[in-house]
Amino acid sequence: MKSAVETLTPTRVKLNVEVPFEELKPSIDAAYKTIAGQIQVPGFRKGKVPAKLIDQRVGRGYVIETAINEGLNGFYQGAIEETGIRPLSRPEVEITEVPDPTATEGQLAFHVEVDIRPEIELPEYAGLEVTVEATEASEEDVQKALDDLRGRFGTLKTVDRPAAADDFITMDLSAKVDGEEVDSAADLSYQVGAGTMLEGLDEAVTALSAGEDATFETKLAGGEHAGKDATVTVKLKAVKERELPEADDDFAQLASEFDTIAELKEDLAKQAADAKVMEQGIEARDKVLDKLMELVEVPVPDSVVEEQMEQHFRPENSHGEDHDTEEHRAEVRENTAKAFQNEIVLDAVADKEELGVSQAELIDYIVSSAGQYGMDPNQFAQLLDQSGQVGMMVGEVRRRKALAKVLELAKVTDSNGAEVDLSDFVRPAGEEEPNIEDMIQAAEAEADNAESAEDTEGADEAAEEAPAAEADKK
């Protein structure tokens, strides 16, 4: 078989493939067997019909066509391997030559147009300079952390006064659209100022006392009337404020492993400092990636964008009447292109740095991703395995490590001119390749350990699919 690549654009090629008759013959023989099992000829058992009779009954041309349709994917995959291209989209196939049905020679020839991963020239990324905001943990940060911790152990006390910000209220709600009640709820709990319910609710309940009501106009956020203008009446039934425990040694022993409030505050100060470093690290990481992407041009195949657009704007993915707008489409198009470009560049960095993904790193990522979806890590890992998504997760972890490497090599200073040490933010590269069975077992163990701990305490293609059997023929 001969394969040649013709570059159409930086992201699209045409494969010209020629398959001699000798290499097509195994597919022809297989086609005879397939057809023999599909037809009935008197005097012959099913599957035992001779080739000559098959030629008489269905025609040699049909046999050749069947052989081509069944063998085309294998020839295409062979051409990919021979040429080394990395397809991204479904191939578009055009058969240009088939063997003469009356002869035992000739060749199969076909063209394949397909989008591919673009080749880029990776710029020098060591020493990229970025500036982040100067920041350090303050007494206010420590006090806020302490107050938040106290809030977890606080109690609610009913008060006889108008509701104010941060109070907890009990209320009844009813909503009308065009004068007709469409929804109602009783004894709802809500923290004033949370902004997690209807727009305008915070303003309506502020300064209301128990037994008083108010009416306001808003747009409904959920249900069959989502997005519609409604008149909402809220009746306040109770106002409660949170009483915080005293910040003393007793509280430190109750809320932490420390014996004194001084030790607890010292630990909270360290946590606040670590959080500030994390903030700087995230800011530096994003700025380093932006600066890196400014140094390289990455063409984006139209098929990558269009596939994402089609998926995002499917009816079942709609999020209301304002979902499919020109502005939103432009945003999705831009984000898709940017994500693809980032992926190409970070993959190139990972290749250059010879970065691998250890089992522990993959486990950490899967456990974190499972938590975001509210799933058990073991079930999430098995789902990834069954759906063939493990490779995708490995690629994502590898790209994160590539970006961490670029950040490690960057020069980061704060807005005061001081050098920022992000060594604790950047993870070192690993070399061990993950094993899916080990990964699942480790996820199971981690899930079991987490469950055990709770009891004791008391209670994260189309490109290589077969070309369509109905490929156009010339």
Side-chain angles (χ1 to χ4, degrees):
M1 187 178 72
K2 297 179 181 178
S3 305
V5 179
E6 178 184 345
T7 300
L8 303 178
T9 72
T11 61
R12 192 168 180 83
V13 299
K14 177 190 282 189
L15 274 177
N16 299 306
V17 185
E18 297 177 355
V19 183
F21 187 86
E22 298 78 40
E23 295 187 35
L24 183 61
K25 191 174 185 307
S27 296
I28 296 176
D29 294 340
Y32 274 116
K33 291 182 179 180
T34 298
I35 296 171
Q38 296 173 343
I39 64 175
Q40 293 280 2
V41 177
F44 295 93
R45 287 182 297 164
K46 196 171 185 178
K48 300 296 183 179
V49 183
K52 288 185 178 180
L53 281 179
I54 292 177
D55 289 344
Q56 293 173 6
R57 288 297 182 99
V58 302
R60 170 80 169 176
Y62 178 76
V63 177
I64 298 294
E65 181 181 344
T66 301
I68 291 173
N69 283 337
E70 293 185 352
L72 197 57
N73 181 57
F75 300 135
Y76 170 63
Q77 298 296 338
I80 289 176
E81 185 175 350
E82 183 176 315
T83 58
I85 65 171
R86 302 171 69 182
L88 287 173
S89 65
R90 183 181 297 276
E92 298 177 7
V93 182
E94 180 184 10
I95 297 175
T96 58
E97 183 181 349
V98 297
D100 187 337
T102 63
T104 56
E105 57 184 18
Q107 67 174 6
L108 165 67
F110 60 94
H111 301 319
V112 180
E113 287 195 17
V114 64
D115 288 333
I116 61 170
R117 289 175 66 94
E119 298 293 332
I120 64 168
E121 184 175 344
L122 194 61
E124 178 55 55
Y125 50 82
L128 293 178
E129 298 183 5
V130 295
T131 302
V132 297
E133 287 296 320
T135 182
E136 61 180 19
S138 64
E139 285 296 327
E140 289 76 13
D141 295 321
V142 177
Q143 186 61 47
K144 182 180 184 305
L146 179 59
D147 289 343
D148 289 343
L149 184 59
R150 292 168 65 202
R152 291 168 53 187
F153 292 85
T155 57
L156 295 181
K157 174 186 176 182
T158 300
V159 292
D160 185 17
R161 60 168 175 75
D166 298 327
D167 282 342
F168 291 82
I169 61 174
T170 303
M171 61 184 176
D172 295 342
L173 282 178
S174 66
K176 293 183 179 181
V177 174
D178 297 329
E180 180 181 351
E181 185 174 287
V182 296
D183 200 3
S184 64
D187 296 326
L188 292 176
S189 296
Y190 179 69
Q191 184 175 19
V192 181
T196 55
M197 294 187 71
L198 295 171
E199 184 177 351
L201 176 62
D202 289 322
E203 292 80 1
V205 299
T206 298
L208 285 186
S209 296
E212 297 180 335
D213 58 58
T215 301
F216 62 99
E217 304 295 323
T218 189
K219 282 186 181 294
L220 297 181
E224 59 179 308
H225 300 285
K228 290 187 177 180
D229 293 327
T231 300
V232 177
T233 299
V234 53
K235 181 176 181 179
L236 215 60
K237 303 179 75 172
V239 179
K240 300 178 182 181
E241 66 180 9
R242 176 178 281 161
E243 287 190 333
L244 302 182
E246 288 295 325
D248 52 20
D249 292 347
D250 289 338
F251 173 72
Q253 295 167 19
L254 170 69
S256 71
E257 70 272 29
F258 301 106
D259 293 328
T260 67
I261 192 64
E263 292 174 322
L264 175 57
K265 286 184 176 181
E266 182 180 351
D267 183 68
L268 291 176
K270 181 180 181 303
Q271 292 182 34
D274 291 343
K276 294 297 183 180
V277 172
M278 181 67 69
E279 291 177 10
Q280 286 187 319
I282 293 173
E283 182 184 357
R285 181 197 62 193
D286 294 344
K287 288 186 173 181
V288 160
L289 179 58
D290 289 342
K291 180 154 285 192
L292 174 61
M293 297 307 299
E294 291 174 1
L295 302 177
V296 59
E297 184 174 345
V298 182
V300 181
D302 290 340
S303 61
V304 170
V305 176
E306 294 309 317
E307 180 181 351
Q308 181 61 31
M309 295 285 286
E310 179 183 351
Q311 179 178 342
H312 187 83
F313 290 101
R314 286 175 183 166
E316 60 267 28
N317 294 332
S318 175
H319 300 285
E321 57 186 23
D322 295 332
H323 178 66
D324 193 353
T325 63
E326 287 300 321
E327 293 79 7
H328 189 37
R329 282 185 169 270
E331 180 184 8
V332 173
R333 189 179 298 276
E334 180 182 354
N335 291 342
T336 300
K338 183 177 181 180
F340 176 80
Q341 291 169 328
N342 291 346
E343 179 178 316
I344 294 298
V345 173
L346 293 177
D347 280 345
V349 173
D351 290 342
K352 181 178 179 180
E353 298 290 340
E354 299 181 344
L355 298 179
V357 177
S358 70
Q359 178 178 306
E361 289 167 332
L362 187 58
I363 290 294
D364 286 346
Y365 185 73
I366 286 176
V367 170
S368 173
S369 299
Q372 293 176 9
Y373 290 103
M375 293 182 64
D376 173 78
N378 172 46
Q379 294 177 338
F380 189 65
Q382 290 180 333
L383 180 63
L384 291 173
D385 184 29
Q386 294 166 3
S387 60
Q389 298 298 306
V390 175
M392 180 190 71
M393 299 290 269
V394 172
E396 178 61 26
V397 176
R398 191 167 178 261
R399 284 187 283 274
R400 289 185 175 211
K401 292 180 65 174
L403 180 53
K405 186 64 178 180
V406 177
L407 180 57
E408 178 186 350
L409 299 174
K411 180 180 179 181
V412 183
T413 55
D414 65 22
S415 51
N416 292 332
E419 185 173 345
V420 179
D421 180 11
L422 295 176
S423 55
D424 290 338
F425 180 82
V426 179
R427 289 185 176 183
E431 297 180 355
E432 180 188 353
E433 292 297 332
N435 176 281
I436 180 60
E437 293 184 1
D438 291 343
M439 181 266 291
I440 291 177
Q441 291 174 3
E444 289 176 346
E446 182 143 353
D448 291 343
N449 289 339
E451 188 175 334
S452 238
E454 290 177 0
D455 292 341
T456 302
E457 291 173 2
D460 211 214
E461 322 65 36
E464 296 187 2
E465 288 184 8
E470 299 79 9
D472 296 332
K473 301 178 177 63
K474 275 189 177 180

